[in-house]
Amino acid sequence: MNVETEPKQKKVSLKGRHLLTWKDYDREEIVYLLERALEMKEQPLSEALAQKTLAMIFEKSSTRTRVSFEVGMTQLGGKAIHLNSRDMQLGRGETISDTSEVLSRYVNGIMIRTDSHQKLEELASNGNVPVINGLCDIYHPCQALADMMTIYEQKGRFAGVKLVYTGDGNNVAHSLMIIGAVLGLDVVIASPNGYEPLDFVIRDAERLAAENGGSLQVTSDIQAAVNEADVLYTDVWTSMGQEAEEQERKKALAPYQINQGLLEQAKSDVSVLHCLPAHRGEEITAEVIDGESSVVFDQAENRLHVQKAIMEALL
Ligand code: CP
Ligand code: NVA
């Protein structure tokens, strides 16, 4: 992979690590996972996780995350168990720490999609198997790794790539900011007032960008932001759990839509990404998401490859 990394000092070993946020990983480790994901895309089947089991706890809906983790375990010779938190004792008040202790006695890893990042940290600190964040209120790291793989496939590099995320400064934006900073991209987040990324994530991403040769800009000026963009990215305006705010969000975020007019202000070979599910006519027009610049289905496919690389390395 054509990424400016220090000469390899150590063999990358991620066995037993949690993946809650990319803040905990360095560039060499992330590049290692991306390289494995690219290899696995070519050679999908192995027995690397034969006899191993992944518990997948869902407290929110999912199509891609659920199916790609489950298929990924199958392709690596292991098995994934889908657990809906409402059907678990967790839904009746059993604590996260007890759940974590117990699951650790049965399975080799836990993937969880939940509302609070704190729950993830609790799960990670109480069990003794790797915990993988399948989306929380602050981060969506597996998505961001697939996004970086897709950007690499499109652009062949990270350094100097201008990635413009427009819309709600949410979990998807946060993970892009962090991983983009570690990999040395020039990340621009264009959000209206009141919908900016969280301050502490901005500070973390700024520090990581300075350490790794990338940059981060947060602005409300979408027109200036989109100029010379290599990649344009957006996500839903109303994330899971924010349904009560839908009408006000639609109003505030409307100027941040990715449409043909905006696309034409970016570079002519701009790639359009969206983590999906998409709402055509809201954050992105049908013309753009179904048009030639869009790589959203490659991006969705890459969830499978990167998560296999993550599971192989951590489990
Ligand atoms: N992008 C993403 O995480 O999709 P799902 O909500 O369908 O898992
Ligand atoms: N920001 C969205 C991402 C969905 C994959 C949400 O949290 O609902």
Side-chain angles (χ1 to χ4, degrees):
M1 176 166 272
N2 174 23
V3 182
E4 290 159 28
T5 43
E6 297 294 315
K8 283 201 171 45
Q9 306 284 332
K10 55 175 190 233
K11 197 170 172 298
V12 172
S13 170
L14 302 174
K15 199 164 162 49
R17 292 268 294 273
H18 301 297
L19 172 54
L20 307 191
T21 157
W22 290 118
K23 224 165 52 177
D24 305 333
Y25 284 69
D26 66 24
R27 185 191 282 206
E28 193 178 0
E29 292 166 341
I30 296 174
V31 168
Y32 168 80
L33 291 171
L34 285 169
E35 282 175 342
R36 279 300 290 142
L38 287 162
E39 286 165 8
M40 287 170 153
K41 192 165 183 171
E42 297 300 317
Q43 290 211 323
L45 304 182
S46 81
E47 289 298 314
L49 297 183
Q51 312 298 327
K52 303 225 178 196
T53 306
L54 176 78
M56 307 189 297
I57 305 174
F58 283 93
E59 298 193 326
K60 291 178 170 180
S61 310
S62 169
T63 297
R64 280 145 290 271
T65 305
R66 177 182 173 177
V67 178
S68 54
F69 267 104
E70 193 161 337
V71 170
M73 275 308 274
T74 303
Q75 292 186 355
L76 294 172
K79 186 175 166 53
I81 308 175
H82 175 252
L83 301 164
N84 185 322
S85 61
R86 280 191 304 274
D87 303 331
M88 298 172 73
Q89 298 292 4
L90 199 55
R92 296 182 63 246
E94 185 167 17
T95 63
I96 282 274
S97 56
D98 286 355
T99 306
S100 183
E101 282 265 358
V102 171
L103 288 180
S104 295
R105 306 284 176 110
Y106 302 139
V107 302
N108 308 97
I110 302 171
M111 191 282 295
I112 179 165
R113 168 166 287 196
T114 183
D115 47 2
S116 99
H117 189 72
Q118 206 190 328
K119 252 191 227 176
L120 263 154
E121 285 176 339
E122 225 181 296
L123 197 63
S125 60
N126 283 289
N128 45 36
V129 295
V131 172
I132 300 171
N133 183 352
L135 180 148
C136 67
D137 51 357
I138 306 183
Y139 302 112
H140 196 359
C142 297
Q143 181 65 55
L145 192 64
D147 302 340
M148 291 300 128
M149 178 172 174
T150 311
I151 290 171
Y152 190 79
E153 287 176 332
Q154 292 300 316
K155 308 295 170 194
R157 65 196 165 96
F158 291 126
V161 169
K162 183 174 178 185
L163 163 61
V164 178
Y165 174 96
T166 165
D168 187 23
N170 62 15
N171 45 8
V172 168
H174 289 159
S175 282
L176 276 177
M177 288 159 61
I178 298 290
I179 202 168
V182 178
L183 292 176
L185 284 83
D186 296 319
V187 180
V188 183
I189 307 288
S191 303
N193 293 338
Y195 295 88
E196 299 94 344
L198 294 172
D199 280 341
F200 83 89
V201 183
I202 296 177
R203 284 195 302 274
D204 284 338
E206 280 173 346
R207 175 179 49 79
L208 290 166
E211 285 169 16
N212 289 286
S215 67
L216 173 72
Q217 190 197 345
V218 179
T219 176
S220 58
D221 187 346
I222 173 67
Q223 300 304 327
V226 77
N227 185 40
E228 292 294 302
D230 295 293
V231 179
L232 264 180
Y233 195 124
T234 193
D235 181 20
V236 292
W237 290 338
T238 303
S239 286
M240 292 179 277
Q242 299 174 330
E243 290 75 8
E245 302 169 14
E246 188 173 350
Q247 289 317 316
E248 56 190 280
R249 286 177 162 272
K250 272 188 185 168
K251 225 164 105 190
L253 288 151
Y256 293 79
Q257 182 190 63
I258 300 187
N259 51 40
Q260 196 58 33
L262 196 74
L263 195 74
E264 281 163 15
Q265 295 173 54
K267 279 193 182 158
S268 56
D269 64 347
V270 66
S271 302
V272 174
L273 276 73
H274 189 309
C275 61
L276 305 179
H279 293 91
R280 288 171 173 75
E282 292 185 20
E283 74 277 2
I284 192 162
T285 58
E287 186 183 19
V288 172
I289 198 169
D290 301 321
E292 277 181 3
S293 305
S294 171
V295 289
V296 300
F297 297 114
D298 291 336
Q299 186 188 355
E301 178 190 326
N302 287 339
R303 290 291 302 277
L304 171 66
H305 309 302
V306 298
Q307 286 160 194
K308 283 168 69 183
I310 292 167
M311 292 190 290
E312 181 195 68
L314 273 51
L315 269 56

